[in-house]
Amino acid sequence: MRITVSRNARALLASLLVLSLVAACGGNESQPNVAQVRVGAPTGPNAAVYFMARGYDEDDVLVSASTDVAGSVEFHETTTNDDGTMTMQPLPSFSLPAGGELILEPGGRHLMLIGVDDLEVGDTIDVTLTWQNAGDMTVEAVVVDPADTMGDG
Amino acid sequence: MFANKTTRLLLLLVAVVVLAACRSGTSTGELQGTVLDVPQEKGSFVLTDTEGAPYDFASETEDSLTLLYFGYLECPDICPVHLAQIAEVFDQHSDLAREAKVVFVSVDPDRDTLEEIREFLDNFDSRFVGLTGTHEELAAAQEAVGVPPARIFGEGDEYTVDHAGWVIAYAPDGLSYSIYPFGTRQTQWTNDLQVLAALESE
């Protein structure tokens, strides 16, 4: 009897775990799951948006992005050269492989908001991401202190 | 109380993890940045500060914990992160903030005006010193402190600037023991600024 109960409990736990994982991943397999969308509080004419996107069952490409709070949005990548200097260069798009990840983070890839409005820490802004296959998706980005754009610290 | 062996084991494990986590938060007395094989003497250069006055780096920062960083204002990705991290340490340690000199040098003098550099730094801490100069003066400054010179790419208004991605730290004794590449964690900054501040000149 004890064994049966514990087995049921284990099954229940397992299904709960699966459910929560599905919930965490959005459970939608036809479009990217975009999380941790954040923008560093502007300290100059531009600001950078970072996020993590999880791929779904087909390859996709982020082809453009827009927001009401900036003149334009460019795709950039910061890379470190052999001598330790850092270069920022524009890219035409960011690809998101099926089941893979697209990570935008400081010191790597980011969306650069050109000519951004004044934003305060704690504000939220809408950013529309246009994917080649999944189409338009509007996500909410939280304005954070630049020190907190790195994630855990 | 904890009759079950597994429960006791789990509690022990939790205690160990918590202790380990606490230990990592305290200053270890050792530098966590990128430690140089041979400590470097502080370089000497003169640039213009945001008030328009000449700023003699070596004499203005003598005997002070000094952080030196070369960047530019249209850089939204890595420049603000370094400065915001340092400002956060200062917010929590006012004693450090009073003694330390943070010097930001704009290597983009064609776009960044003195006023804009001041505004940029005020986002972080109004005590941060902002400098710039002519391209020749900037090249001399970068050479004096041993960082590769910034290079400009692109044409017209649409150009980007390659620049050294690290912050140079000088202890109050005038020597640089360590540098801070991009990706330095907040906990590393907090630890190292306290360790370096204690290295007084004799």
Side-chain angles (χ1 to χ4, degrees), chain B residues 3-40:
Chain B
N4 188 322
K5 239 183 196 174
T6 316
T7 314
R8 263 182 290 173
L9 198 65
L10 268 175
L11 280 170
L12 183 68
L13 194 68
V14 167
V16 168
V17 169
V18 168
L19 273 180
C22 292
R23 281 172 67 100
S24 72
T26 57
S27 170
T28 59
E30 283 185 22
L31 293 172
Q32 296 174 8
T34 303
V35 176
L36 305 175
D37 292 339
V38 180
Q40 299 290 306

Side-chain angles (χ1 to χ4, degrees), chain A residues 30-51:
Chain A
S30 64
Q31 63 173 33
N33 183 263
V34 180
Q36 299 171 36
V37 192
R38 56 210 191 274
V39 52
T43 53
N46 308 324
V49 175
Y50 309 98
F51 61 75

Side-chain angles (χ1 to χ4, degrees), chain A residues 1-16:
Chain A
M1 189 60 193
R2 266 189 67 180
I3 292 166
T4 320
V5 169
S6 119
R7 215 180 259 159
N8 281 344
R10 242 182 282 163
L12 185 66
L13 268 177
S15 40
L16 273 176

Side-chain angles (χ1 to χ4, degrees), chain A residues 97-132:
Chain A
E101 281 178 341
L102 167 63
I103 296 173
L104 271 58
E105 60 185 353
R109 286 174 285 189
H110 55 272
L111 302 178
M112 180 138 116
L113 308 184
I114 313 277
V116 71
D117 293 352
D118 270 346
L119 304 174
E120 299 291 328
V121 171
D123 288 354
T124 55
I125 62 167
D126 283 345
V127 180
T128 301
L129 305 176
T130 304
W131 302 89
Q132 201 166 60

Side-chain angles (χ1 to χ4, degrees), chain A residues 17-35 52-57 99-101 137:
Chain A
L17 187 65
V18 169
L19 275 177
S20 58
L21 277 179
V22 168
C25 299
N28 188 337
E29 292 297 312
S30 64
Q31 63 173 33
N33 183 263
V34 180
M52 207 186 92
R54 202 174 289 281
Y56 55 110
D57 52 11
E101 281 178 341
M137 168 192 287

